[in-house]
PDB file of all heavy atoms in Angstrom:
ATOM      1  N   GLY A  53      36.084 -13.536  14.958  1.00 87.00           N
ATOM      2  CA  GLY A  53      35.840 -14.503  13.876  1.00 87.00           C
ATOM      3  C   GLY A  53      34.969 -13.871  12.783  1.00 87.00           C
ATOM      4  O   GLY A  53      35.346 -12.896  12.165  1.00 87.00           O
ATOM      5  N   ASP A  54      33.785 -14.448  12.609  1.00 92.00           N
ATOM      6  CA  ASP A  54      32.911 -13.925  11.541  1.00 92.00           C
ATOM      7  C   ASP A  54      31.743 -13.098  12.086  1.00 92.00           C
ATOM      8  O   ASP A  54      30.744 -12.909  11.395  1.00 92.00           O
ATOM      9  CB  ASP A  54      32.367 -15.116  10.721  1.00 92.00           C
ATOM     10  CG  ASP A  54      31.450 -16.030  11.522  1.00 92.00           C
ATOM     11  OD1 ASP A  54      31.438 -15.909  12.767  1.00 92.00           O
ATOM     12  OD2 ASP A  54      30.706 -16.819  10.925  1.00 92.00           O
ATOM     13  N   SER A  55      31.879 -12.583  13.320  1.00 94.00           N
ATOM     14  CA  SER A  55      30.801 -11.787  13.876  1.00 94.00           C
ATOM     15  C   SER A  55      31.376 -10.457  14.426  1.00 94.00           C
ATOM     16  O   SER A  55      32.541 -10.335  14.733  1.00 94.00           O
ATOM     17  CB  SER A  55      30.079 -12.529  14.979  1.00 94.00           C
ATOM     18  OG  SER A  55      30.924 -12.747  16.068  1.00 94.00           O
ATOM     19  N   ILE A  56      30.500  -9.494  14.497  1.00 95.00           N
ATOM     20  CA  ILE A  56      30.861  -8.168  15.027  1.00 95.00           C
ATOM     21  C   ILE A  56      29.661  -7.642  15.797  1.00 95.00           C
ATOM     22  O   ILE A  56      28.510  -7.810  15.390  1.00 95.00           O
ATOM     23  CB  ILE A  56      31.286  -7.223  13.874  1.00 95.00           C
ATOM     24  CG1 ILE A  56      31.756  -5.876  14.430  1.00 95.00           C
ATOM     25  CG2 ILE A  56      30.125  -7.010  12.868  1.00 95.00           C
ATOM     26  CD1 ILE A  56      32.506  -5.021  13.412  1.00 95.00           C
ATOM     27  N   THR A  57      29.914  -6.982  16.920  1.00 95.00           N
ATOM     28  CA  THR A  57      28.855  -6.401  17.715  1.00 95.00           C
ATOM     29  C   THR A  57      28.972  -4.889  17.586  1.00 95.00           C
ATOM     30  O   THR A  57      30.051  -4.308  17.833  1.00 95.00           O
ATOM     31  CB  THR A  57      28.950  -6.841  19.184  1.00 95.00           C
ATOM     32  OG1 THR A  57      28.877  -8.243  19.229  1.00 95.00           O
ATOM     33  CG2 THR A  57      27.831  -6.230  20.008  1.00 95.00           C
ATOM     34  N   ILE A  58      27.878  -4.247  17.222  1.00 93.00           N
ATOM     35  CA  ILE A  58      27.795  -2.817  17.039  1.00 93.00           C
ATOM     36  C   ILE A  58      26.814  -2.261  18.066  1.00 93.00           C
ATOM     37  O   ILE A  58      25.761  -2.812  18.284  1.00 93.00           O
ATOM     38  CB  ILE A  58      27.269  -2.456  15.622  1.00 93.00           C
ATOM     39  CG1 ILE A  58      28.071  -3.112  14.521  1.00 93.00           C
ATOM     40  CG2 ILE A  58      27.125  -0.957  15.438  1.00 93.00           C
ATOM     41  CD1 ILE A  58      29.448  -2.555  14.318  1.00 93.00           C
ATOM     42  N   GLU A  59      27.210  -1.150  18.726  1.00 92.00           N
ATOM     43  CA  GLU A  59      26.325  -0.483  19.636  1.00 92.00           C
ATOM     44  C   GLU A  59      25.834   0.809  18.991  1.00 92.00           C
ATOM     45  O   GLU A  59      26.623   1.593  18.501  1.00 92.00           O
ATOM     46  CB  GLU A  59      26.971  -0.150  20.969  1.00 92.00           C
ATOM     47  CG  GLU A  59      26.016   0.446  21.981  1.00 92.00           C
ATOM     48  CD  GLU A  59      26.665   0.664  23.319  1.00 92.00           C
ATOM     49  OE1 GLU A  59      27.228   1.778  23.516  1.00 92.00           O
ATOM     50  OE2 GLU A  59      26.648  -0.236  24.124  1.00 92.00           O
ATOM     51  N   TYR A  60      24.515   0.966  18.997  1.00 87.00           N
ATOM     52  CA  TYR A  60      23.901   2.153  18.412  1.00 87.00           C
ATOM     53  C   TYR A  60      22.701   2.524  19.271  1.00 87.00           C
ATOM     54  O   TYR A  60      21.846   1.685  19.554  1.00 87.00           O
ATOM     55  CB  TYR A  60      23.477   1.890  16.970  1.00 87.00           C
ATOM     56  CG  TYR A  60      22.813   3.057  16.308  1.00 87.00           C
ATOM     57  CD1 TYR A  60      23.543   4.188  15.965  1.00 87.00           C
ATOM     58  CD2 TYR A  60      21.452   3.036  16.026  1.00 87.00           C
ATOM     59  CE1 TYR A  60      22.932   5.267  15.357  1.00 87.00           C
ATOM     60  CE2 TYR A  60      20.848   4.120  15.410  1.00 87.00           C
ATOM     61  CZ  TYR A  60      21.591   5.214  15.067  1.00 87.00           C
ATOM     62  OH  TYR A  60      20.995   6.304  14.475  1.00 87.00           O
ATOM     63  N   SER A  61      22.640   3.751  19.711  1.00 84.00           N
ATOM     64  CA  SER A  61      21.523   4.237  20.553  1.00 84.00           C
ATOM     65  C   SER A  61      21.329   3.331  21.791  1.00 84.00           C
ATOM     66  O   SER A  61      20.216   2.912  22.081  1.00 84.00           O
ATOM     67  CB  SER A  61      20.218   4.330  19.768  1.00 84.00           C
ATOM     68  OG  SER A  61      20.336   5.264  18.749  1.00 84.00           O
ATOM     69  N   LYS A  62      22.408   3.020  22.441  1.00 85.00           N
ATOM     70  CA  LYS A  62      22.408   2.205  23.666  1.00 85.00           C
ATOM     71  C   LYS A  62      21.897   0.795  23.474  1.00 85.00           C
ATOM     72  O   LYS A  62      21.483   0.130  24.398  1.00 85.00           O
ATOM     73  CB  LYS A  62      21.620   2.920  24.772  1.00 85.00           C
ATOM     74  CG  LYS A  62      22.193   4.270  25.157  1.00 85.00           C
ATOM     75  CD  LYS A  62      21.375   4.923  26.230  1.00 85.00           C
ATOM     76  CE  LYS A  62      21.954   6.287  26.542  1.00 85.00           C
ATOM     77  NZ  LYS A  62      21.197   6.993  27.587  1.00 85.00           N
ATOM     78  N   THR A  63      21.886   0.317  22.219  1.00 89.00           N
ATOM     79  CA  THR A  63      21.461  -1.031  21.913  1.00 89.00           C
ATOM     80  C   THR A  63      22.576  -1.735  21.165  1.00 89.00           C
ATOM     81  O   THR A  63      23.121  -1.185  20.211  1.00 89.00           O
ATOM     82  CB  THR A  63      20.195  -1.015  21.019  1.00 89.00           C
ATOM     83  OG1 THR A  63      19.157  -0.317  21.681  1.00 89.00           O
ATOM     84  CG2 THR A  63      19.725  -2.421  20.711  1.00 89.00           C
ATOM     85  N   SER A  64      22.933  -2.951  21.602  1.00 92.00           N
ATOM     86  CA  SER A  64      23.989  -3.718  20.939  1.00 92.00           C
ATOM     87  C   SER A  64      23.353  -4.757  20.042  1.00 92.00           C
ATOM     88  O   SER A  64      22.387  -5.413  20.413  1.00 92.00           O
ATOM     89  CB  SER A  64      24.888  -4.415  21.932  1.00 92.00           C
ATOM     90  OG  SER A  64      25.631  -3.448  22.668  1.00 92.00           O
ATOM     91  N   THR A  65      23.902  -4.882  18.834  1.00 91.00           N
ATOM     92  CA  THR A  65      23.421  -5.876  17.858  1.00 91.00           C
ATOM     93  C   THR A  65      24.636  -6.618  17.307  1.00 91.00           C
ATOM     94  O   THR A  65      25.604  -5.984  16.939  1.00 91.00           O
ATOM     95  CB  THR A  65      22.657  -5.222  16.691  1.00 91.00           C
ATOM     96  OG1 THR A  65      21.597  -4.412  17.235  1.00 91.00           O
ATOM     97  CG2 THR A  65      22.073  -6.261  15.779  1.00 91.00           C
ATOM     98  N   THR A  66      24.536  -7.945  17.244  1.00 94.00           N
ATOM     99  CA  THR A  66      25.630  -8.750  16.690  1.00 94.00           C
ATOM    100  C   THR A  66      25.240  -9.156  15.294  1.00 94.00           C
ATOM    101  O   THR A  66      24.138  -9.613  15.028  1.00 94.00           O
ATOM    102  CB  THR A  66      25.870  -9.994  17.561  1.00 94.00           C
ATOM    103  OG1 THR A  66      26.241  -9.547  18.880  1.00 94.00           O
ATOM    104  CG2 THR A  66      27.005 -10.855  16.980  1.00 94.00           C
ATOM    105  N   TYR A  67      26.198  -8.950  14.367  1.00 94.00           N
ATOM    106  CA  TYR A  67      25.990  -9.279  12.942  1.00 94.00           C
ATOM    107  C   TYR A  67      27.004 -10.335  12.527  1.00 94.00           C
ATOM    108  O   TYR A  67      28.078 -10.416  13.076  1.00 94.00           O
ATOM    109  CB  TYR A  67      26.198  -8.026  12.064  1.00 94.00           C
ATOM    110  CG  TYR A  67      25.245  -6.911  12.337  1.00 94.00           C
ATOM    111  CD1 TYR A  67      25.553  -5.896  13.229  1.00 94.00           C
ATOM    112  CD2 TYR A  67      24.005  -6.868  11.708  1.00 94.00           C
ATOM    113  CE1 TYR A  67      24.684  -4.849  13.473  1.00 94.00           C
ATOM    114  CE2 TYR A  67      23.110  -5.847  11.964  1.00 94.00           C
ATOM    115  CZ  TYR A  67      23.455  -4.830  12.808  1.00 94.00           C
ATOM    116  OH  TYR A  67      22.589  -3.833  13.092  1.00 94.00           O
ATOM    117  N   LYS A  68      26.630 -11.119  11.519  1.00 95.00           N
ATOM    118  CA  LYS A  68      27.555 -12.098  10.920  1.00 95.00           C
ATOM    119  C   LYS A  68      28.182 -11.462   9.713  1.00 95.00           C
ATOM    120  O   LYS A  68      27.523 -10.754   8.928  1.00 95.00           O
ATOM    121  CB  LYS A  68      26.790 -13.364  10.465  1.00 95.00           C
ATOM    122  CG  LYS A  68      26.272 -14.176  11.635  1.00 95.00           C
ATOM    123  CD  LYS A  68      27.375 -14.912  12.287  1.00 95.00           C
ATOM    124  CE  LYS A  68      26.835 -15.785  13.411  1.00 95.00           C
ATOM    125  NZ  LYS A  68      27.865 -16.286  14.277  1.00 95.00           N
ATOM    126  N   MET A  69      29.471 -11.724   9.510  1.00 94.00           N
ATOM    127  CA  MET A  69      30.173 -11.245   8.313  1.00 94.00           C
ATOM    128  C   MET A  69      30.476 -12.464   7.428  1.00 94.00           C
ATOM    129  O   MET A  69      30.749 -13.544   7.942  1.00 94.00           O
ATOM    130  CB  MET A  69      31.490 -10.535   8.684  1.00 94.00           C
ATOM    131  CG  MET A  69      31.267  -9.245   9.435  1.00 94.00           C
ATOM    132  SD  MET A  69      32.793  -8.381   9.821  1.00 94.00           S
ATOM    133  CE  MET A  69      33.438  -9.370  11.153  1.00 94.00           C
ATOM    134  N   SER A  70      30.431 -12.270   6.136  1.00 92.00           N
ATOM    135  CA  SER A  70      30.749 -13.348   5.202  1.00 92.00           C
ATOM    136  C   SER A  70      31.909 -12.902   4.308  1.00 92.00           C
ATOM    137  O   SER A  70      32.378 -11.764   4.446  1.00 92.00           O
ATOM    138  CB  SER A  70      29.516 -13.686   4.320  1.00 92.00           C
ATOM    139  OG  SER A  70      29.311 -12.648   3.407  1.00 92.00           O
ATOM    140  N   GLY A  71      32.338 -13.761   3.446  1.00 90.00           N
ATOM    141  CA  GLY A  71      33.388 -13.403   2.486  1.00 90.00           C
ATOM    142  C   GLY A  71      32.962 -12.305   1.535  1.00 90.00           C
ATOM    143  O   GLY A  71      33.754 -11.657   0.903  1.00 90.00           O
ATOM    144  N   GLU A  72      31.635 -12.084   1.457  1.00 91.00           N
ATOM    145  CA  GLU A  72      31.095 -11.046   0.543  1.00 91.00           C
ATOM    146  C   GLU A  72      30.914  -9.699   1.274  1.00 91.00           C
ATOM    147  O   GLU A  72      30.577  -8.724   0.615  1.00 91.00           O
ATOM    148  CB  GLU A  72      29.720 -11.502   0.019  1.00 91.00           C
ATOM    149  CG  GLU A  72      29.763 -12.787  -0.772  1.00 91.00           C
ATOM    150  CD  GLU A  72      30.622 -12.667  -2.034  1.00 91.00           C
ATOM    151  OE1 GLU A  72      30.510 -11.659  -2.727  1.00 91.00           O
ATOM    152  OE2 GLU A  72      31.421 -13.605  -2.273  1.00 91.00           O
ATOM    153  N   THR A  73      31.163  -9.657   2.559  1.00 93.00           N
ATOM    154  CA  THR A  73      30.991  -8.373   3.296  1.00 93.00           C
ATOM    155  C   THR A  73      32.072  -7.405   2.914  1.00 93.00           C
ATOM    156  O   THR A  73      33.271  -7.741   2.924  1.00 93.00           O
ATOM    157  CB  THR A  73      31.068  -8.618   4.857  1.00 93.00           C
ATOM    158  OG1 THR A  73      30.039  -9.556   5.181  1.00 93.00           O
ATOM    159  CG2 THR A  73      30.831  -7.342   5.593  1.00 93.00           C
ATOM    160  N   ASN A  74      31.666  -6.220   2.491  1.00 94.00           N
ATOM    161  CA  ASN A  74      32.631  -5.176   2.097  1.00 94.00           C
ATOM    162  C   ASN A  74      33.071  -4.449   3.363  1.00 94.00           C
ATOM    163  O   ASN A  74      32.254  -3.823   4.026  1.00 94.00           O
ATOM    164  CB  ASN A  74      31.942  -4.214   1.109  1.00 94.00           C
ATOM    165  CG  ASN A  74      32.886  -3.140   0.612  1.00 94.00           C
ATOM    166  OD1 ASN A  74      34.102  -3.345   0.599  1.00 94.00           O
ATOM    167  ND2 ASN A  74      32.340  -2.001   0.236  1.00 94.00           N
ATOM    168  N   ILE A  75      34.371  -4.525   3.684  1.00 94.00           N
ATOM    169  CA  ILE A  75      34.908  -3.921   4.906  1.00 94.00           C
ATOM    170  C   ILE A  75      35.901  -2.863   4.538  1.00 94.00           C
ATOM    171  O   ILE A  75      36.867  -3.105   3.831  1.00 94.00           O
ATOM    172  CB  ILE A  75      35.576  -4.996   5.778  1.00 94.00           C
ATOM    173  CG1 ILE A  75      34.582  -6.133   6.078  1.00 94.00           C
ATOM    174  CG2 ILE A  75      36.116  -4.395   7.081  1.00 94.00           C
ATOM    175  CD1 ILE A  75      35.233  -7.360   6.706  1.00 94.00           C
ATOM    176  N   THR A  76      35.663  -1.646   5.048  1.00 95.00           N
ATOM    177  CA  THR A  76      36.621  -0.545   4.837  1.00 95.00           C
ATOM    178  C   THR A  76      36.935   0.142   6.160  1.00 95.00           C
ATOM    179  O   THR A  76      36.058   0.245   7.039  1.00 95.00           O
ATOM    180  CB  THR A  76      36.122   0.481   3.833  1.00 95.00           C
ATOM    181  OG1 THR A  76      34.934   1.062   4.296  1.00 95.00           O
ATOM    182  CG2 THR A  76      35.912  -0.094   2.440  1.00 95.00           C
ATOM    183  N   VAL A  77      38.155   0.614   6.303  1.00 94.00           N
ATOM    184  CA  VAL A  77      38.541   1.447   7.423  1.00 94.00           C
ATOM    185  C   VAL A  77      39.204   2.682   6.836  1.00 94.00           C
ATOM    186  O   VAL A  77      40.170   2.580   6.069  1.00 94.00           O
ATOM    187  CB  VAL A  77      39.546   0.702   8.361  1.00 94.00           C
ATOM    188  CG1 VAL A  77      40.073   1.662   9.426  1.00 94.00           C
ATOM    189  CG2 VAL A  77      38.892  -0.473   9.017  1.00 94.00           C
ATOM    190  N   ASP A  78      38.670   3.850   7.181  1.00 92.00           N
ATOM    191  CA  ASP A  78      39.125   5.123   6.647  1.00 92.00           C
ATOM    192  C   ASP A  78      39.233   5.073   5.121  1.00 92.00           C
ATOM    193  O   ASP A  78      40.242   5.446   4.516  1.00 92.00           O
ATOM    194  CB  ASP A  78      40.476   5.502   7.273  1.00 92.00           C
ATOM    195  CG  ASP A  78      40.321   5.791   8.753  1.00 92.00           C
ATOM    196  OD1 ASP A  78      39.267   6.322   9.171  1.00 92.00           O
ATOM    197  OD2 ASP A  78      41.243   5.456   9.540  1.00 92.00           O
ATOM    198  N   ASP A  79      38.176   4.536   4.481  1.00 91.00           N
ATOM    199  CA  ASP A  79      38.022   4.476   3.036  1.00 91.00           C
ATOM    200  C   ASP A  79      39.025   3.562   2.326  1.00 91.00           C
ATOM    201  O   ASP A  79      39.235   3.691   1.125  1.00 91.00           O
ATOM    202  CB  ASP A  79      38.041   5.879   2.423  1.00 91.00           C
ATOM    203  CG  ASP A  79      36.912   6.746   2.937  1.00 91.00           C
ATOM    204  OD1 ASP A  79      35.805   6.201   3.093  1.00 91.00           O
ATOM    205  OD2 ASP A  79      37.112   7.971   3.151  1.00 91.00           O
ATOM    206  N   ARG A  80      39.642   2.641   3.022  1.00 94.00           N
ATOM    207  CA  ARG A  80      40.474   1.673   2.330  1.00 94.00           C
ATOM    208  C   ARG A  80      40.014   0.266   2.718  1.00 94.00           C
ATOM    209  O   ARG A  80      39.666  -0.014   3.864  1.00 94.00           O
ATOM    210  CB  ARG A  80      41.955   1.945   2.656  1.00 94.00           C
ATOM    211  CG  ARG A  80      42.616   1.239   3.680  1.00 94.00           C
ATOM    212  CD  ARG A  80      44.009   1.799   4.025  1.00 94.00           C
ATOM    213  NE  ARG A  80      44.127   1.759   5.476  1.00 94.00           N
ATOM    214  CZ  ARG A  80      44.387   0.651   6.134  1.00 94.00           C
ATOM    215  NH1 ARG A  80      44.622  -0.477   5.486  1.00 94.00           N
ATOM    216  NH2 ARG A  80      44.449   0.657   7.441  1.00 94.00           N
ATOM    217  N   ARG A  81      39.974  -0.610   1.681  1.00 95.00           N
ATOM    218  CA  ARG A  81      39.433  -1.963   1.876  1.00 95.00           C
ATOM    219  C   ARG A  81      40.422  -2.769   2.754  1.00 95.00           C
ATOM    220  O   ARG A  81      41.610  -2.759   2.473  1.00 95.00           O
ATOM    221  CB  ARG A  81      39.243  -2.615   0.514  1.00 95.00           C
ATOM    222  CG  ARG A  81      38.466  -3.898   0.601  1.00 95.00           C
ATOM    223  CD  ARG A  81      37.923  -4.269  -0.756  1.00 95.00           C
ATOM    224  NE  ARG A  81      37.475  -5.619  -0.751  1.00 95.00           N
ATOM    225  CZ  ARG A  81      36.235  -5.999  -0.507  1.00 95.00           C
ATOM    226  NH1 ARG A  81      35.334  -5.090  -0.269  1.00 95.00           N
ATOM    227  NH2 ARG A  81      35.902  -7.271  -0.538  1.00 95.00           N
ATOM    228  N   VAL A  82      39.903  -3.401   3.765  1.00 94.00           N
ATOM    229  CA  VAL A  82      40.702  -4.170   4.711  1.00 94.00           C
ATOM    230  C   VAL A  82      40.008  -5.473   5.056  1.00 94.00           C
ATOM    231  O   VAL A  82      38.906  -5.756   4.659  1.00 94.00           O
ATOM    232  CB  VAL A  82      40.947  -3.360   6.022  1.00 94.00           C
ATOM    233  CG1 VAL A  82      41.708  -2.082   5.743  1.00 94.00           C
ATOM    234  CG2 VAL A  82      39.629  -3.071   6.734  1.00 94.00           C
ATOM    235  N   ARG A  83      40.705  -6.291   5.869  1.00 92.00           N
ATOM    236  CA  ARG A  83      40.130  -7.545   6.398  1.00 92.00           C
ATOM    237  C   ARG A  83      39.465  -7.242   7.735  1.00 92.00           C
ATOM    238  O   ARG A  83      39.756  -6.236   8.384  1.00 92.00           O
ATOM    239  CB  ARG A  83      41.242  -8.569   6.587  1.00 92.00           C
ATOM    240  CG  ARG A  83      41.850  -9.017   5.265  1.00 92.00           C
ATOM    241  CD  ARG A  83      42.927  -9.997   5.537  1.00 92.00           C
ATOM    242  NE  ARG A  83      43.603 -10.314   4.278  1.00 92.00           N
ATOM    243  CZ  ARG A  83      43.875 -11.532   3.876  1.00 92.00           C
ATOM    244  NH1 ARG A  83      43.595 -12.538   4.679  1.00 92.00           N
ATOM    245  NH2 ARG A  83      44.443 -11.745   2.721  1.00 92.00           N
ATOM    246  N   SER A  84      38.616  -8.156   8.174  1.00 91.00           N
ATOM    247  CA  SER A  84      37.893  -7.938   9.409  1.00 91.00           C
ATOM    248  C   SER A  84      38.827  -7.844  10.606  1.00 91.00           C
ATOM    249  O   SER A  84      38.481  -7.225  11.634  1.00 91.00           O
ATOM    250  CB  SER A  84      36.886  -9.056   9.645  1.00 91.00           C
ATOM    251  OG  SER A  84      37.525 -10.322   9.748  1.00 91.00           O
ATOM    252  N   SER A  85      40.046  -8.388  10.523  1.00 90.00           N
ATOM    253  CA  SER A  85      40.983  -8.330  11.632  1.00 90.00           C
ATOM    254  C   SER A  85      41.443  -6.898  11.920  1.00 90.00           C
ATOM    255  O   SER A  85      41.968  -6.647  13.015  1.00 90.00           O
ATOM    256  CB  SER A  85      42.203  -9.223  11.336  1.00 90.00           C
ATOM    257  OG  SER A  85      42.863  -8.788  10.145  1.00 90.00           O
ATOM    258  N   GLU A  86      41.226  -5.996  10.996  1.00 92.00           N
ATOM    259  CA  GLU A  86      41.636  -4.606  11.242  1.00 92.00           C
ATOM    260  C   GLU A  86      40.554  -3.767  11.911  1.00 92.00           C
ATOM    261  O   GLU A  86      40.746  -2.607  12.231  1.00 92.00           O
ATOM    262  CB  GLU A  86      42.085  -3.949   9.921  1.00 92.00           C
ATOM    263  CG  GLU A  86      43.362  -4.582   9.396  1.00 92.00           C
ATOM    264  CD  GLU A  86      43.952  -3.806   8.231  1.00 92.00           C
ATOM    265  OE1 GLU A  86      44.002  -2.563   8.330  1.00 92.00           O
ATOM    266  OE2 GLU A  86      44.378  -4.432   7.253  1.00 92.00           O
ATOM    267  N   LEU A  87      39.364  -4.376  12.094  1.00 94.00           N
ATOM    268  CA  LEU A  87      38.296  -3.697  12.809  1.00 94.00           C
ATOM    269  C   LEU A  87      38.586  -3.823  14.326  1.00 94.00           C
ATOM    270  O   LEU A  87      38.894  -4.895  14.791  1.00 94.00           O
ATOM    271  CB  LEU A  87      36.936  -4.304  12.455  1.00 94.00           C
ATOM    272  CG  LEU A  87      36.483  -4.163  11.044  1.00 94.00           C
ATOM    273  CD1 LEU A  87      35.238  -5.007  10.797  1.00 94.00           C
ATOM    274  CD2 LEU A  87      36.251  -2.719  10.676  1.00 94.00           C
ATOM    275  N   LYS A  88      38.511  -2.716  15.020  1.00 93.00           N
ATOM    276  CA  LYS A  88      38.845  -2.703  16.439  1.00 93.00           C
ATOM    277  C   LYS A  88      37.686  -2.118  17.282  1.00 93.00           C
ATOM    278  O   LYS A  88      37.007  -1.202  16.819  1.00 93.00           O
ATOM    279  CB  LYS A  88      40.120  -1.879  16.715  1.00 93.00           C
ATOM    280  CG  LYS A  88      41.315  -2.307  15.921  1.00 93.00           C
ATOM    281  CD  LYS A  88      41.790  -3.690  16.326  1.00 93.00           C
ATOM    282  CE  LYS A  88      43.022  -4.101  15.491  1.00 93.00           C
ATOM    283  NZ  LYS A  88      43.184  -5.497  15.379  1.00 93.00           N
ATOM    284  N   PRO A  89      37.496  -2.599  18.492  1.00 94.00           N
ATOM    285  CA  PRO A  89      36.515  -2.001  19.372  1.00 94.00           C
ATOM    286  C   PRO A  89      36.791  -0.529  19.585  1.00 94.00           C
ATOM    287  O   PRO A  89      37.941  -0.097  19.653  1.00 94.00           O
ATOM    288  CB  PRO A  89      36.670  -2.766  20.685  1.00 94.00           C
ATOM    289  CG  PRO A  89      37.249  -4.089  20.280  1.00 94.00           C
ATOM    290  CD  PRO A  89      38.149  -3.794  19.117  1.00 94.00           C
ATOM    291  N   GLY A  90      35.721   0.265  19.609  1.00 93.00           N
ATOM    292  CA  GLY A  90      35.846   1.705  19.774  1.00 93.00           C
ATOM    293  C   GLY A  90      35.751   2.484  18.487  1.00 93.00           C
ATOM    294  O   GLY A  90      35.561   3.694  18.495  1.00 93.00           O
ATOM    295  N   MET A  91      35.970   1.824  17.339  1.00 93.00           N
ATOM    296  CA  MET A  91      35.882   2.499  16.039  1.00 93.00           C
ATOM    297  C   MET A  91      34.425   2.897  15.792  1.00 93.00           C
ATOM    298  O   MET A  91      33.504   2.142  16.138  1.00 93.00           O
ATOM    299  CB  MET A  91      36.335   1.604  14.902  1.00 93.00           C
ATOM    300  CG  MET A  91      37.811   1.358  14.858  1.00 93.00           C
ATOM    301  SD  MET A  91      38.188   0.303  13.436  1.00 93.00           S
ATOM    302  CE  MET A  91      39.862   0.791  13.124  1.00 93.00           C
ATOM    303  N   HIS A  92      34.224   4.036  15.162  1.00 92.00           N
ATOM    304  CA  HIS A  92      32.899   4.450  14.735  1.00 92.00           C
ATOM    305  C   HIS A  92      32.650   3.756  13.410  1.00 92.00           C
ATOM    306  O   HIS A  92      33.557   3.545  12.621  1.00 92.00           O
ATOM    307  CB  HIS A  92      32.846   5.966  14.542  1.00 92.00           C
ATOM    308  CG  HIS A  92      32.938   6.684  15.880  1.00 92.00           C
ATOM    309  ND1 HIS A  92      31.963   7.549  16.284  1.00 92.00           N
ATOM    310  CD2 HIS A  92      33.869   6.647  16.852  1.00 92.00           C
ATOM    311  CE1 HIS A  92      32.292   8.034  17.479  1.00 92.00           C
ATOM    312  NE2 HIS A  92      33.457   7.473  17.835  1.00 92.00           N
ATOM    313  N   ALA A  93      31.377   3.396  13.153  1.00 91.00           N
ATOM    314  CA  ALA A  93      31.086   2.598  11.972  1.00 91.00           C
ATOM    315  C   ALA A  93      29.724   2.955  11.385  1.00 91.00           C
ATOM    316  O   ALA A  93      28.785   3.367  12.083  1.00 91.00           O
ATOM    317  CB  ALA A  93      31.127   1.117  12.285  1.00 91.00           C
ATOM    318  N   GLU A  94      29.618   2.732  10.084  1.00 91.00           N
ATOM    319  CA  GLU A  94      28.349   2.783   9.362  1.00 91.00           C
ATOM    320  C   GLU A  94      28.225   1.405   8.703  1.00 91.00           C
ATOM    321  O   GLU A  94      29.140   0.944   8.063  1.00 91.00           O
ATOM    322  CB  GLU A  94      28.356   3.874   8.312  1.00 91.00           C
ATOM    323  CG  GLU A  94      27.053   3.954   7.541  1.00 91.00           C
ATOM    324  CD  GLU A  94      27.002   5.102   6.590  1.00 91.00           C
ATOM    325  OE1 GLU A  94      27.896   5.958   6.614  1.00 91.00           O
ATOM    326  OE2 GLU A  94      26.086   5.117   5.781  1.00 91.00           O
TER     327      GLU A  94
END
Side-chain angles (χ1 to χ4, degrees):
D54 65 345
S55 67
I56 185 167
T57 302
I58 305 288
E59 185 177 89
Y60 179 71
S61 297
K62 298 180 183 180
T63 302
S64 292
T65 306
T66 300
Y67 298 94
K68 292 285 183 192
M69 294 183 285
S70 72
E72 301 297 316
T73 303
N74 183 26
I75 304 168
T76 59
V77 173
D78 295 325
D79 298 322
R80 96 189 140 79
R81 192 162 165 93
V82 298
R83 294 178 185 228
S84 62
S85 60
E86 293 191 43
L87 296 172
K88 304 294 180 205
M91 289 180 153
H92 291 238
E94 180 175 350

